[in-house]
């Protein structure tokens, strides 16, 4: 079945550091891939998405490229800020209906 | 920008009681979902709903759960007899067809605490 494996956290970085959060997936067919962000005390917000191979999703300085050959969708940002501290979820779907989420990676950015 | 809303933001209940969690999806969306997130764990799919019926449900969505679209705007999740392990954040989501196909928009969640 469809599933997502995400690097475990927590991840702690200094401001302006480079961020990578790894995400790999297993899927049948051609799913869409997503990154959602959850800020403290809030719900899930769509950060970016890619709907087909080689697509790059980007938003707020974050990027992720849908790589079919490596079944990956790693999240990157060149220079993180304190305000980026949150939990990041990689997700896949929907082929049928349900979205499959990774376990989430907690990012803490220190000034 | 339209958004999914959920009420209440926090619900506290006693074990064995019934709770109803409410969601107002984005108005032109046709697919509706419930997910839950037990504290510190991953977000898990519960159920999807389309054309006034359940289209898919997970193994978590057993007989104590039900969903309903009682009118043209609300989408509810009922838990008939709550257990301690139902304590979680419950997220509603909705999506449309067409250009936004595949993107589910999530509400802010309802934190359910079962005592």
């Amino acid at each position: 079945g469809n599933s997502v494996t995400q690097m475990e956290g927590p991840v702690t970085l200094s401001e302006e550091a480079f961020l990578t959060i790894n995400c790999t997936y297993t899927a049948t067919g051609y799913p869409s891939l997503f990154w959602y962000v959850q800020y403290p005390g809030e719900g899930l917000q769509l950060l970016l998405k890619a709907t087909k191979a080689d697509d790059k999703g980007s938003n707020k300085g974050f990027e992720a490229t849908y790589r079919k050959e490596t079944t990956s969708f790693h999240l990157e940002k060149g220079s993180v800020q304190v305000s980026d501290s949150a939990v990041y979820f990689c997700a896949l779907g929907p082929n049928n209906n349900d979205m499959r989420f990774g376990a989430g990676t907690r990012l803490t950015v220190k000034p | 920008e339209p958004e999914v809303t959920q009420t209440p933001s926090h619900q506290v209940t006693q074990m064995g009681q019934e709770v109803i969690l409410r969601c107002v999806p984005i108005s032109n969306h046709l697919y509706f979902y419930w997910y839950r997130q037990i504290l510190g764990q991953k977000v898990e799919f519960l159920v999807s709903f389309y054309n006034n019926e359940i289209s898919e449900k997970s193994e978590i969505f057993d007989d104590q759960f039900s969903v309903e679209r009682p009118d043209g705007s609300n989408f509810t999740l009922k838990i008939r007899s709550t257990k301690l392990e139902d304590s979680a954040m419950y997220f509603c989501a909705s999506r449309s067809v067409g250009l936004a196909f595949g993107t589910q928009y999530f509400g802010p969640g309802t934190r359910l605490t079962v005592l």
Side-chain angles (χ1 to χ4, degrees):
Chain A
N2 294 347
S3 66
V4 172
T5 302
Q6 192 175 337
M7 72 181 277
E8 293 190 18
V11 174
T12 302
L13 296 173
S14 298
E15 211 164 20
E16 299 183 6
F18 184 85
L19 168 72
T20 301
I21 301 178
N22 289 339
C23 171
T24 56
Y25 68 90
T26 302
T28 53
Y30 303 96
S32 295
L33 297 170
F34 305 83
W35 278 98
Y36 282 85
V37 59
Q38 186 178 31
Y39 296 104
E42 297 186 17
L44 295 169
Q45 298 177 28
L46 178 65
L47 180 61
L48 54 85
K49 69 172 186 176
T51 57
K52 60 183 188 299
D54 300 325
D55 264 6
K56 179 188 279 188
S58 60
N59 186 24
K60 298 181 183 179
F62 291 90
E63 292 183 340
T65 301
Y66 188 159
R67 302 249 185 241
K68 197 163 181 294
E69 63 277 10
T70 54
T71 61
S72 65
F73 193 56
H74 304 322
L75 182 69
E76 296 182 336
K77 185 173 186 183
S79 176
V80 292
Q81 306 301 311
V82 173
S83 57
D84 293 326
S85 297
V87 181
Y88 293 82
F89 291 92
C90 185
L92 173 158
N95 267 350
N96 35 30
N97 257 315
D98 61 295
M99 187 89 76
R100 299 297 169 114
F101 285 84
T105 301
R106 181 176 298 280
L107 170 67
T108 301
V109 180
K110 298 193 169 176
Chain B
E1 187 176 327
E3 55 184 21
V4 177
T5 60
Q6 289 185 244
T7 54
S9 56
H10 191 189
Q11 172 94 44
V12 181
T13 190
Q14 296 289 325
M15 193 168 58
Q17 295 296 303
E18 174 183 287
V19 295
I20 298 177
L21 310 183
R22 300 181 193 280
C23 169
V24 179
I26 294 172
S27 64
N28 63 346
H29 283 188
L30 301 177
Y31 296 82
F32 313 114
Y33 306 84
W34 283 102
Y35 292 80
R36 79 169 185 194
Q37 183 185 26
I38 295 171
L39 186 65
Q41 299 186 24
K42 67 164 66 176
V43 177
E44 300 171 294
F45 168 76
L46 292 177
V47 66
S48 58
F49 192 87
Y50 171 70
N51 200 25
N52 282 320
E53 59 183 22
I54 290 173
S55 49
E56 191 163 348
K57 60 183 181 179
S58 72
E59 60 276 7
I60 302 168
F61 194 87
D62 60 23
D63 292 343
Q64 69 159 341
F65 292 94
S66 62
V67 289
E68 193 178 26
R69 188 150 162 84
D71 52 45
S73 59
N74 289 284
F75 178 53
T76 61
L77 174 70
K78 182 192 289 187
I79 309 175
R80 259 180 277 283
S81 177
T82 49
K83 307 190 205 61
L84 294 176
E85 55 266 34
D86 293 327
S87 295
M89 188 76 125
Y90 288 81
F91 293 104
C92 173
S94 69
R95 72 173 172 97
S96 69
V97 293
L99 291 178
F101 181 80
T103 301
Q104 295 183 18
Y105 294 88
F106 285 76
T110 293
R111 181 172 297 285
L112 176 65
T113 302
V114 182
L115 303 176

